[in-house]
Amino acid sequence: MTRHALLFALAAASTGCMDFGDVEQPITLASHVDDWRDEIIYQVLVDRFANGDVSNDYGVRFDDLARYQGGDWRGLRDNLDYLEQLGVTTLWISPIIRNVETDANVDGYHGYWAQDLAALNPHFGDITELRALVDDAHARDMKIVVDIVTNHVGQAFYYDLNLNGVPDINFQGNGSGNNPTRHYTEYDPDFDPRGVQAFTSLGEAGPAPIVFQYDPATGHVPPSPVLLQDPAAYNRKGRTFDFDDPDQLLHGDFPGGLKDIDTSRCDVKQMMVDVFATWVEQTDIDGFRIDTVKHVEYEFWRFFTQRLRARLAAKGKHDFLMFGEVFDGRDDLLGSFTRHDVLGPADLAGFLGKPAAPDPSDEDQLAAEASCVPDGVPLRGDQLDSVFYFSQHFQAIRDVFQQAQSTDRIEALWTARQTNWGDTPNEDGIGVAPRDMPINFLDNHDVPRFLYNVRDQDPEVAQALLHNAIAFTFTAPGIPCVYYGTEQGFDGGNDPANRERLWDTGFDITNPTFTWVQRLSQLRGRYKSLRRGGMQVLWSTTAIADEPDAGIFAFERLGGDGGGSYAVVVFNSHQGKDSTTRTPDRAMTVTAPPGTELVDVLAKNGEQFVVGSDGTLDVTLPPMSAVILVPVAEAD
Ligand SMILES: [Ca+2]
Ligand SMILES: [Ca+2]
Ligand SMILES: [Ca+2]
């Protein structure tokens, strides 16, 4: 499909009448998911996974990971066997839309520098290729989740601070009293709550005009859709430097010159629904992973998620997943984007530890937001279906599984999630409460890889630590999410070192971490308790030294939506000694009746355990290891 055709479709959509007109072929939307908790997500940076089409390799520079490498959607299609063997069932692919090509010697290969929300990134393929990827995935019962950004566009304009009509970098004043020496860039000036100010030799001169760049060679052309060419569609306050200041968090440009969109405007909200719903309608993709969620107002998420769900449901697309990235360790802030109470600026300020005037009542707030709704259908409190479990990334993956700190922090975190996160499924949503399906991950494109963080360890120890943490993300309540390359033992540090080319490995399916993920995927598929079951912590501890239970963490998966399926999962996160589920003062009691025979299905020739006549279960584990125990009667 041509860009023109899509824009035509968008124009039709905005009047409420979807007409695919001369677009290639209308497609039928369908729901391809039964319960999202059955899924195993694999995160792919498309540019880095496989190069299936060299005809789109313009601008590729293999010697520099900050530049395009040549991967594309065809490469993904060609390697679905590899992914299916690994056991993953949902591919989260990096953004599909056209980006700023190059800025400050970095390419937009990652996809987070939007230039045209209604056009595809030609480095990755065309609409035919994208549809083929979705179709081939669906034929294997795999799903496709697309990464989107609503908070900002790429480096689209500069602030003409000195009113000279050209972009200046490191401009300096003359050092006089009202014109002090200053260092700055007009592409990315510091945040100013009044809006970025211009100045002359006489002092400040009011709001700085913004000037859209026009340099087709680097992809710096005014953003599309056309609404994004209106200066009023942006907050124009400059670059955030204090992420705990609510005004900066919501309204500042994202560092790197990424221009912050005014997502409180009705026309912006509606445009975002139209453009992204159209991509679903054009491809039948199954969900969105949403970037930079905490930088956008709660009211936007209510509008965006509810209007999008309703529009897709009317076309036969149900169970459309929307999960967000809240890059933050504060669990209450994470969970706030999944709650149904009508949160507002005062709530946000509270999570950030700042004072604020009280918000309006829920009723008054929703009434105000209703002024944006064209068809009069009232808004509710509903927001996202889930968020990445960043708090767990820090407090469990880092603190416990890398640094062997006490496991009681995992129990505390999981307990807090029950009240911090939404407890009700969204209307027209996926049918699962957000608190029951956090997205569990080890690493991603924005943090150093797990193996990088433990690079000072002996390689065998590092791998044992990695495997134990992977087992944790595959057995904890929620959905496991594997960042591409983890299965090949990648160990890259900070961006772009953590964005390696996967094809350099030859897609090796014998790598021990590949086979470990494969095995855990099979166990999740086989045992419903691990996917849909409820959860009860059996053992956590403050002990980290030579105590009998130092490093032990254990929980049951039972009840919930797991049918009668039952599992006990025990970890020893201690890095130097065997530990056990018994101390002089305490023994581990399980729900399975006395005499129940359990077998470890994680080990190939699993050890057997029997629940004692007093209901206790003794499990002793070597350092950095785990067992997954299921009733012998349930094991096969
Ligand atoms: Ca290519
Ligand atoms: Ca200037
Ligand atoms: Ca924002």
Side-chain angles (χ1 to χ4, degrees):
M1 182 183 60
T2 64
R3 176 163 172 266
H4 173 78
L6 178 61
L7 290 173
F8 174 80
L10 288 169
S14 65
T15 62
C17 149
M18 202 65 204
D19 181 356
F20 284 88
D22 57 358
V23 170
E24 290 182 347
Q25 190 78 31
I27 62 168
T28 305
L29 300 186
S31 304
H32 301 272
V33 179
D34 183 14
D35 185 323
W36 274 99
R37 290 171 296 182
D38 294 346
E39 300 299 312
I40 297 166
I41 299 176
Y42 185 83
Q43 178 196 357
V44 183
L45 287 185
V46 171
D47 184 57
R48 304 296 154 92
F49 184 77
N51 187 354
D53 179 0
V54 296
S55 76
N56 55 28
D57 283 359
Y58 62 95
V60 163
R61 282 181 50 177
F62 283 125
D63 59 344
D64 186 352
L65 281 178
R67 314 306 286 261
Y68 274 103
Q69 300 298 303
D72 45 43
W73 298 322
R74 180 66 197 224
L76 267 171
R77 274 179 74 200
D78 290 345
N79 289 283
L80 291 176
D81 277 345
Y82 170 86
L83 296 167
E84 197 168 3
Q85 288 187 73
L86 184 61
V88 299
T89 60
T90 291
L91 307 186
W92 150 25
I93 64 173
S94 50
I96 61 175
I97 60 169
R98 185 190 293 272
N99 267 230
V100 171
E101 190 71 15
T102 301
D103 191 74
N105 297 314
V106 176
D107 288 348
Y109 69 88
H110 42 71
Y112 300 105
W113 293 352
Q115 185 274 317
D116 187 345
L117 305 182
L120 293 173
N121 185 333
H123 287 274
F124 302 149
D126 59 14
I127 186 69
T128 304
E129 194 56 53
L130 181 57
R131 284 177 169 180
L133 171 62
V134 176
D135 287 348
D136 286 4
H138 285 166
R140 295 168 184 255
D141 197 26
M142 297 172 84
K143 296 86 189 171
I144 302 287
V145 167
V146 166
D147 205 323
I148 67 168
V149 187
T150 66
N151 178 62
H152 56 257
V153 295
Q155 180 59 282
F157 58 76
Y158 65 90
Y159 298 87
D160 193 13
L161 303 184
N162 59 0
L163 303 171
N164 68 352
V166 295
D168 297 290
I169 296 175
N170 294 327
F171 180 88
Q172 295 179 308
N174 62 16
S176 68
N178 61 1
N179 189 17
T181 301
R182 295 176 57 182
H183 288 265
Y184 60 82
T185 163
E186 290 189 337
Y187 291 112
D188 207 12
D190 280 354
F191 187 89
D192 185 326
R194 304 166 299 171
V196 172
Q197 299 291 304
F199 58 86
T200 68
S201 59
L202 299 175
E204 287 188 346
I210 67 171
V211 182
F212 287 99
Q213 301 188 69
Y214 188 76
D215 178 11
T218 58
H220 291 92
V221 296
S224 288
V226 69
L227 173 58
L228 295 175
Q229 295 170 20
D230 179 355
Y234 301 89
N235 284 312
R236 294 170 288 160
K237 289 187 166 185
R239 177 179 50 84
T240 300
F241 55 85
D242 178 358
F243 286 80
D244 284 343
D245 171 355
D247 189 17
Q248 293 196 38
L249 183 71
L250 290 177
H251 306 131
D253 295 332
F254 200 82
L258 310 185
K259 297 306 190 292
D260 199 65
I261 299 171
D262 184 352
T263 41
S264 68
R265 288 172 59 103
C266 292
D267 52 0
V268 167
K269 291 178 184 174
Q270 188 61 47
M271 180 270 287
M272 291 291 183
V273 171
D274 287 339
V275 71
F276 288 116
T278 301
W279 284 122
V280 182
E281 291 155 358
Q282 285 289 312
T283 58
D284 198 27
I285 55 173
D286 304 288
F288 288 144
R289 175 272 185 189
I290 307 177
D291 190 63
T292 35
V293 162
K294 72 175 178 179
H295 302 277
V296 178
E297 301 84 352
Y298 293 114
E299 64 170 82
F300 176 87
W301 298 122
R302 286 189 281 272
F303 185 96
F304 182 78
T305 60
Q306 292 174 41
R307 302 300 298 179
L308 195 105
R309 285 187 191 108
R311 176 161 156 177
L312 296 180
K315 294 170 185 290
K317 187 84 176 173
H318 303 279
D319 297 307
F320 188 82
L321 175 67
M322 283 185 270
F323 58 97
E325 174 222 27
V326 182
F327 195 157
D328 206 288
R330 288 169 285 202
D331 193 67
D332 52 0
L333 179 61
L334 264 65
S336 71
F337 295 94
T338 67
R339 283 164 48 176
H340 285 192
D341 39 341
V342 181
L343 299 169
D347 297 295
L348 180 67
F351 295 127
L352 299 174
K354 306 290 183 188
D359 288 332
S361 71
D362 288 7
E363 293 72 21
D364 289 349
Q365 180 64 30
L366 288 180
E369 293 173 23
S371 64
C372 284
V373 176
D375 60 9
V377 175
L379 291 168
R380 302 175 304 276
D382 301 36
Q383 301 185 79
L384 301 174
D385 299 305
S386 186
V387 290
F388 286 95
Y389 208 174
F390 262 103
S391 50
Q392 180 177 264
H393 171 79
F394 297 118
Q395 295 173 48
I397 302 300
R398 179 193 63 192
D399 292 355
V400 175
F401 287 97
Q402 291 175 353
Q403 301 179 357
Q405 296 185 49
S406 60
T407 62
D408 60 328
R409 71 196 62 216
I410 305 177
E411 180 171 13
L413 184 69
W414 285 5
T415 300
R417 190 177 77 240
Q418 299 306 311
T419 46
N420 285 343
W421 293 40
D423 60 1
T424 310
N426 293 307
E427 196 166 318
D428 291 326
I430 60 165
V432 181
R435 70 180 184 188
D436 293 333
M437 52 168 287
I439 310 293
N440 298 313
F441 69 99
L442 293 180
D443 37 41
N444 64 29
H445 59 300
D446 286 329
V447 298
R449 289 187 182 269
F450 187 100
L451 287 178
Y452 179 84
N453 290 332
V454 296
R455 63 193 178 283
D456 294 336
Q457 300 269 19
D458 174 87
E460 279 182 20
V461 171
Q463 186 180 86
L465 292 169
L466 173 67
H467 286 197
N468 222 24
I470 293 173
F472 177 75
T473 62
F474 273 72
T475 52
I479 306 179
C481 181
V482 178
Y483 180 45
Y484 88 96
T486 295
E487 79 279 13
Q488 295 292 347
F490 282 2
D491 59 2
N494 283 299
D495 170 14
N498 56 356
R499 301 171 178 195
E500 306 93 325
R501 287 186 301 268
L502 189 80
W503 64 83
D504 290 352
T505 66
F507 299 95
D508 177 13
I509 63 170
T510 66
N511 184 294
T513 302
F514 184 101
T515 57
W516 184 251
V517 172
Q518 184 180 51
R519 177 151 189 81
L520 285 159
S521 298
Q522 289 164 352
L523 294 174
R524 264 187 89 84
R526 198 169 295 155
Y527 300 106
K528 200 173 181 181
S529 58
L530 298 177
R531 308 193 305 272
R532 305 189 190 185
M535 188 282 304
Q536 179 169 308
V537 172
L538 296 174
W539 195 281
S540 73
T541 177
T542 58
I544 56 170
D546 55 2
E547 303 88 341
D549 68 329
I552 292 285
F553 185 67
F555 54 93
E556 291 176 310
R557 299 297 308 272
L558 77 170
D561 298 315
S565 181
Y566 178 82
V568 176
V569 187
V570 188
F571 292 91
N572 180 9
S573 60
H574 199 288
Q575 298 180 8
K577 76 171 192 72
D578 290 6
S579 287
T580 188
T581 58
R582 186 180 285 270
T583 69
D585 311 321
R586 183 180 163 208
M588 183 170 82
T589 306
V590 299
T591 301
T596 304
E597 295 181 332
L598 301 167
V599 58
D600 173 24
V601 291
L602 182 56
K604 288 244 164 73
N605 298 304
E607 192 180 346
Q608 293 209 10
F609 298 79
V610 180
V611 179
S613 57
D614 56 353
T616 61
L617 182 65
D618 290 327
V619 178
T620 301
L621 293 177
M624 301 171 289
S625 71
V627 290
I628 301 173
L629 308 179
V630 307
V632 169
E634 199 183 331
D636 56 12

